[in-house]
């Protein structure tokens, strides 16, 4: 019993001693370690501004900092102390969270550089670190700009950044040099393919390419409009109504300015403010809405839409150009109507032309002119007579349609060509010219032909077929040139003239040119590869490939000397009928008169000197002026006819000088230069 009491007493003593021991440990912790941690925090994280502002507090804390640093040495490793000192110098107050997260930028994590954040090659003692910090604080207190002193770590970082910038700059310069070289090579290759500046075609040497800064504000505003449309679509998709309204308002302002301006000189004073406002709106939209996939998708959709619009507008432009070129202007239509009315008011005996006995005289110089344009026909006749040495030997055979027959007669009755002979006929009165004899007339009257060429909703009615929607392809005036012996059976030679030419010299020497047994005398139009047979004929067809040379030189209709004796001997009209029948399905050539002419007169054309006939005044703005002035005949072939407003102004005076604009009929119909 005594033993048990002794043991229980010992246990009580041990229990009381264990409890007092725990209390003692807690007391020591709160008395020693808690102040120590507090002093360490005050020493490491103390705000520099507080230390600098109160010198007395600094003196009181010096001994505490020294005590804390001495105690910290035993708690933390040397590497940790270096990191704490470095981070404090570079980043300000340090937190353990930032240290644990290794607060470095992504670009620096990717570069394996031995920095002082991980390993310090030159460890510095805490005393030295304290001196560095004190010196830094003194310099900051003296410098009013509060600029920080660069540490070795920051210097090392800056050097690495500079090296990376240099590398990037070299890459960009190299990329820029390669791009410029590619552009230069492309420009050189394109310049080789450009013969001359043709109106309506793009030239790589445009003025804006000479100066990179020309109209920069206009281009910038257009780019802003494109991006505003992109972000407007994204804002609508994401229900950002406020931003959408702002972008739409800026878009309207920019479009209004662009609609009134074509260059920077045309921009109003408020344009710069609108540019700045749009830039701010786009920056805001980029911050809120930018999504690479969405932006790329929107741009691709806009590009596709713009491409479709360009295709549609190009087709429409082609159609309108053809329509403008083939439509008779109101003044000329007015002239034709007035002349027609006055003609049918004349008595039958006053409708006859003098010197009708010359019409079949083979010893005179005969011209064939087929036209439905009164003014154009008058210019051809006037220019020929004015430049003829002996007008009395010249005979003009005019053929027109029923609509213009009265007007053509009335004009030359009122304005006779001096001593020359003139005669006007109606193509509709040629009874022999019917569908049973003429293949092209039979084809033109067929429903299939009309549907193929003249229906806008036909699947093949693309921009390439727009030129065939032309009344002249349905008119036999255009095809009458293949029936000259039938129209003028008693003539031996005849000079065929188009109504879009002017004559500048005496043409009588043409009747003396020896055609060497050929039927057609014409000026060739081919250069190295231009206007050869393969341009007009379908050489994938075996009939064409077997009978013709694709590199054979083409020639021009518009001024052609035809030997009608040889024509009859070789049955040229029969050859024409043969090929025209073979082309009923349009597999050999499209509509027109030049392709069948090339076929019909293949090997039967004598080349004339090019000075007799200069072409291109209706489409080519770069014809040499000397060539025009030295030419016997100048041809306005192309869409820009001289009687149209779209005619080229520098060529029009050659044509208008043969018109008397003070004529009463011309003044009544407002025809002027």
């Amino acid at each position: 019993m005594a033993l048990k009491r002794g043991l229980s007493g010992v246990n009580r003593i041990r229990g009381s001693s264990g409890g007092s021991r725990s209390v003692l440990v807690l007391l020591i912790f709160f008395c020693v370690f808690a102040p120590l941690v507090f002093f360490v925090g005050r020493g490491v994280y103390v705000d520099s501004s507080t230390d600098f502002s109160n010198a007395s507090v600094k003196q009181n804390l010096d001994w505490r900092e020294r005590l804390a640093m001495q105690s910290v040495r035993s708690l933390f490793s040397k590497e940790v102390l270096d990191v704490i000192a470095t981070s404090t110098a570079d980043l300000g107050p340090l937190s353990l969270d930032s240290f644990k997260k290794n607060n470095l930028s992504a670009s620096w994590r990717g570069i394996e550089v031995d920095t002082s954040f991980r390993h310090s090659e030159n460890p510095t003692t805490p005393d030295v670190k304290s001196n560095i910090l004190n010196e830094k604080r003194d310099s900051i207190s003296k410098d009013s700009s509060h600029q920080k002193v660069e540490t070795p770590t920051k210097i090392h970082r800056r050097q690495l950044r500079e090296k990376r910038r240099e590398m990037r700059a070299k890459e960009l310069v190299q990329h820029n040099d390669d791009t410029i070289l590619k552009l230069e090579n492309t420009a050189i290759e394109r310049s080789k393919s450009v013969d001359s500046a043709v109106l309506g075609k793009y030239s790589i040497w445009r003025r804006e390419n000479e100066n990179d800064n020309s109209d920069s504000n206009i281009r910038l505003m257009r780019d802003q409009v494109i991006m505003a449309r992109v972000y407007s679509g994204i804002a609508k998709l994401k229900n950002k109504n406020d931003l959408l309204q702002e972008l739409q308002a800026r878009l309207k302002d920019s479009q209004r300015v662009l609609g009134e301006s074509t260059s920077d000189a045309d921009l109003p004073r408020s344009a710069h403010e609108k540019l700045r406002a749009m830039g701010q709106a786009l920056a805001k939209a980029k911050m809120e809405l930018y999504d690479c996939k969405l932006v790329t998708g929107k741009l691709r959709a806009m590009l596709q839409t713009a491409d479709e619009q360009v295709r549609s507008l190009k087709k429409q432009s082609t159609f309108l150009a053809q329509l403008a070129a083939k439509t008779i202007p109101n003044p000329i239509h007015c002239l034709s109507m007035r002349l027609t009315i006055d003609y049918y008011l004349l008595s039958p005996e006053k409708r006859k032309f003098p010197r009708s006995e010359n019409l079949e005289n083979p010893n005179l110089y005969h011209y064939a002119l087929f036209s439905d344009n009164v003014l154009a026909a008058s210019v051809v006749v006037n220019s020929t007579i004015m430049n003829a040495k002996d007008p009395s030997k010249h005979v003009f055979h005019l053929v027109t349609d029923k609509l213009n027959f009265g007007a053509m007669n009335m004009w030359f009755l009122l304005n006779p060509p001096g001593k020359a002979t003139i005669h006007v006929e109606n193509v509709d009165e040629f009874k022999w010219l019917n569908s049973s004899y003429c293949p092209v007339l039979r084809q033109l009257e067929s429903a299939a032909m009309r549907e193929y060429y003249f229906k806008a909703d036909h699947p093949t009615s693309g921009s390439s077929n727009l030129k065939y929607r032309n009344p002249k392809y349905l008119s036999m005036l255009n095809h009458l040139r293949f029936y000259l012996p039938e129209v003028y059976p008693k003539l031996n030679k005849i000079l065929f003239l188009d109504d879009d030419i002017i004559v500048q010299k005496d043409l009588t020497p043409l009747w003396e040119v020896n055609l060497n047994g050929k039927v057609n005398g014409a000026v060739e139009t081919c250069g190295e590869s231009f206007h050869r047979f393969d341009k007009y004929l379908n050489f994938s067809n075996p009939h064409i490939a077997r009978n013709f040379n694709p590199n054979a030189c083409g020639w021009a209709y518009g001024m052609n000397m035809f030997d009608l004796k040889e024509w009859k001997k070789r049955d040229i009209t029969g050859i024409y009928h043969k090929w025209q029948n073979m082309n009923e399905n349009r597999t050999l050539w499209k509509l027109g008169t030049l392709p069948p002419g090339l076929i019909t007169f293949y090997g039967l054309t004598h080349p004339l000197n090019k000075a007799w006939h200069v072409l291109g005044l209706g489409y080519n703005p770069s014809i040499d002026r000397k060539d025009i002035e030295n030419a016997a005949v100048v041809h306005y072939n192309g869409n820009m006819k001289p009687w149209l407003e779209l005619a080229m102004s520098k060529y029009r005076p050659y044509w208008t000088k043969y018109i008397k604009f003070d004529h009463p009929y011309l003044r009544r119909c407002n025809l002027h230069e």
Side-chain angles (χ1 to χ4, degrees), residues 102 104-118 156-165 167-168:
N102 192 13
L104 295 174
S105 65
S107 62
W108 287 98
R109 291 193 189 108
I111 302 175
E112 296 182 359
V113 180
D114 189 11
T115 64
S116 61
F117 283 93
R118 297 182 180 181
H156 186 62
R157 286 165 126 192
R158 191 181 70 251
Q159 291 174 351
L160 289 176
R161 283 196 299 268
E162 290 176 354
K163 290 181 179 179
R164 292 181 65 186
R165 289 195 190 101
M167 292 175 62
R168 289 175 181 173

Side-chain angles (χ1 to χ4, degrees), residues 538-550 579 582 602:
N538 179 20
F539 275 87
S540 63
N541 187 286
H543 296 290
I544 297 295
R546 190 165 50 244
N547 292 280
F548 304 101
N549 180 6
W579 287 103
M582 294 174 63
Y602 182 68

Side-chain angles (χ1 to χ4, degrees), residues 559-574:
M559 190 210 71
N560 305 82
M561 176 61 69
F562 290 110
D563 187 335
L564 300 184
K565 282 186 176 181
E566 286 292 328
W567 185 306
K568 297 173 186 176
K569 186 186 300 183
R570 296 177 181 270
D571 191 19
I572 297 299
T573 304

